[in-house]
Amino acid sequence: MTPSQIYVLVAILFLALVFISIKNSKPKRLSVLASIAFGLIVAGIVFGENRSISYSLLAVGIILSAVDAYLKSKNNG
């Protein structure tokens, strides 16, 4: 597996975990932080030809989504 495939796999697994965790709750709108993270991940996929930019955008998007999940769990618990 190439590094880009690993990053995409990690992002997909993380998003799957998030969707599974919110499956039992009421549908909610995306927070601002989650929206930015989603946009960065999509931008990282779109700019796949330039690896340094692509990996940077994917990494920042994943970190922001993890921070958003942490803040939401901290507020709920």
Side-chain angles (χ1 to χ4, degrees):
M1 261 186 159
T2 63
S4 63
Q5 291 173 331
I6 293 172
Y7 283 120
V8 171
L9 181 64
V10 168
I12 290 171
L13 289 175
F14 181 77
L15 289 174
L17 289 174
V18 169
F19 286 130
I20 289 171
S21 68
I22 63 171
K23 184 178 180 181
N24 296 331
S25 64
K26 290 189 244 177
K28 297 179 184 177
R29 297 190 68 165
L30 284 177
S31 67
V32 174
L33 196 57
S35 300
I36 293 171
F38 182 72
L40 287 172
I41 290 172
V42 170
I45 294 170
V46 169
F47 294 115
E49 293 178 5
N50 189 343
R51 289 189 179 190
S52 60
I53 292 174
S54 176
Y55 292 158
S56 299
L57 291 172
L58 285 170
V60 172
I62 291 170
I63 290 169
L64 286 178
S65 64
V67 168
D68 183 55
Y70 173 75
L71 291 175
K72 284 184 179 179
S73 70
K74 188 175 178 182
N75 289 339
N76 291 338

